[in-house]
Amino acid sequence: MRIAVYPGSFDPITNGHLDIIERASRLYDRLVVGVLSNGNKNPLFSAEERVEMIRRVTVHLNNVEVDTFTGLLVDFAKSKNATVIVKGLRTVADFEYEFQMALLNKALNPEYETMFMMTNTKYSYISSSMVKELAGFRGNLTGLVPSEIIGQIKEKYE
Ligand code: COA
């Protein structure tokens, strides 16, 4: 059984993330979406809210599991019996940081492979921060995040 983890902050999940989840779920028997609950960023949504939102927009994918993690990604991957870490690459700007992270994770545990998926060009400009900024200015989030969670994001700024 090939198990992969797709880690991130997902604050909130965007259509770019969902696109990676849908495509990666077809490549592995099981895909575990790992929501970092103690990252450096000060999140808008609690880890529980982020997990619930991702579960709601991935109900159609029956080999996808969503869970939170704290600490090292390689330890989380191990706890899920995963051997692959999936990451999305949007632009060349993402590359340097992701390259460093992949090498560091490899050094921490050589058993893991990081697999990079190119983000769909439609979503290459989206980030969670941009979604939050737009929501703060009451901008239209249609097409940027799954429609099921638009109301929940707007509520945070009311
Ligand atoms: N579509 C849209 N947006 C995307 C995207 C995609 N396909 N892929 C990434 N992004 C966005 C994210 O929304 C995020 O936006 P933001 O900065 O506005 O919030 C940004 O790109 C960065 O995403 P990512 O590179 O996935 O970082 P992250 O902060 O979401 O998650 C972890 C980083 C959790 C993977 C990483 O910090 C980690 O592994 N932490 C655990 C500790 C550890 O093991 N560290 C390494 C060894 S010390």
Side-chain angles (χ1 to χ4, degrees):
M1 176 123 149
R2 299 195 71 79
I3 305 173
V5 294
Y6 176 46
S9 308
F10 304 107
D11 186 43
I13 184 169
T14 68
N15 278 340
H17 294 131
L18 186 57
D19 173 62
I20 300 280
I21 294 172
E22 284 173 342
R23 286 157 57 206
S25 73
R26 293 198 285 270
L27 299 177
Y28 300 99
D29 298 309
R30 189 158 195 80
L31 180 72
V32 183
V33 181
V35 177
L36 183 70
S37 67
N38 66 339
N40 296 329
K41 299 171 187 172
N42 192 8
L44 175 66
F45 292 97
S46 70
E48 292 70 30
E49 286 174 314
R50 286 178 273 149
V51 166
E52 187 278 323
M53 286 191 282
I54 302 170
R55 285 195 181 136
R56 198 145 33 98
V57 302
T58 57
V59 281
H60 59 297
L61 304 168
N62 51 26
N63 64 338
V64 171
E65 173 190 330
V66 190
D67 210 346
T68 56
F69 77 101
T70 54
L72 291 180
L73 174 60
V74 286
D75 293 337
F76 175 66
K78 189 172 187 182
S79 74
K80 295 290 178 185
N81 293 318
T83 48
V84 174
I85 295 164
V86 172
K87 299 285 329 241
L89 279 184
R90 290 166 301 169
T91 59
V92 281
D94 282 346
F95 179 78
E96 211 161 332
Y97 173 71
E98 292 297 345
F99 183 62
Q100 210 179 353
M101 288 280 277
L103 293 182
L104 183 57
N105 285 328
K106 191 85 182 158
L108 290 172
N109 194 330
E111 284 167 36
Y112 298 104
E113 293 299 340
T114 302
M115 298 295 287
F116 291 106
M117 293 188 78
M118 298 310 295
T119 298
N120 188 319
T121 48
K122 278 195 292 191
Y123 307 126
S124 62
Y125 62 94
I126 307 178
S127 72
S128 299
S129 304
M130 203 202 74
V131 165
K132 285 180 277 194
E133 186 166 345
L134 194 58
F137 290 118
R138 311 288 185 274
N140 185 359
L141 300 181
T142 307
L144 304 182
V145 299
S147 53
E148 300 95 309
I149 65 166
I150 290 181
Q152 203 172 339
I153 299 170
K154 283 185 176 165
E155 270 173 30
K156 288 276 180 188
Y157 293 94
E158 271 163 14

